[in-house]
């Protein structure tokens, strides 16, 4: 599997973000973001302001339940991570505590922030979409 398609965009955005007072650079970055529409079938919302990770809309509302948290913790284990519970649920690598993913339960849909450069980011995003899908939600169209 591979990094997310937006990984190159994220690197480019970080590299050019130092031009904080450059109007032209800001417009170029905005155009780069606008050129990305989806990843793994999930709508690209933009870049999380505090975490600097790309944000994607889950195709269903997300409600945290004991069962959903059990499934999330199982997914974390499969990816050699643990779940850190703060304002958001975060998946962090056991080996170095690096955050790979955060999930926000916004209404009318959940939001996922993913470290795009993580070599298995596409797999993690796909697995998370399936893992957190409510039983009464229609099947995901993510590949």
């Amino acid at each position: 599997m591979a990094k997310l398609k937006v990984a190159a965009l994220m690197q480019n955005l970080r590299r050019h973000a130092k031009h904080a007072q450059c109007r032209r650079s800001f417009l170029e970055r905005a155009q780069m973001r606008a050129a990305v529409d989806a990843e793994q079938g999930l709508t690209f919302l933009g870049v999380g302001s505090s975490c600097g990770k790309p944000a994607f809309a889950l195709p269903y509302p997300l409600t945290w339940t004991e069962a959903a948290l059990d499934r999330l913790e199982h997914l974390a284990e499969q990816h050699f991570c643990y779940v850190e519970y703060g304002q958001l649920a975060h998946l962090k690598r056991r080996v170095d505590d690096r955050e790979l993913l955060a999930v926000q339960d916004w209404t009318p849909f959940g939001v996922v922030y993913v470290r795009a450069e993580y070599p298995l980011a596409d797999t993690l995003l796909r697995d998370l979409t399936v893992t957190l899908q409510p039983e009464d939600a229609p099947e995901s169209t993510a590949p």
Side-chain angles (χ1 to χ4, degrees), residues 74-86:
H74 180 71
L75 174 67
E77 289 173 13
Q78 291 175 325
H79 287 270
F80 306 101
C81 293
Y82 66 94
V83 179
E84 180 179 86
Y85 296 104

Side-chain angles (χ1 to χ4, degrees), residues 36-48:
V36 177
D37 59 350
E39 187 88 46
Q40 294 289 335
L42 303 180
T43 301
F44 176 59
L45 299 173
V47 179

Side-chain angles (χ1 to χ4, degrees), residues 62-106:
L62 177 61
T63 302
W64 291 118
T65 63
E66 289 291 332
L69 294 179
D70 287 346
R71 292 191 310 269
L72 182 64
E73 289 175 357
H74 180 71
L75 174 67
E77 289 173 13
Q78 291 175 325
H79 287 270
F80 306 101
C81 293
Y82 66 94
V83 179
E84 180 179 86
Y85 296 104
Q87 293 298 326
L88 309 179
H90 298 86
L91 265 63
K92 297 181 100 175
R93 285 196 303 205
R94 290 190 184 281
V95 68
D96 60 5
D97 276 344
R98 187 162 193 179
E99 181 183 310
L100 299 181
L101 181 142
V103 186
Q104 195 161 26
D105 56 342
W106 282 354

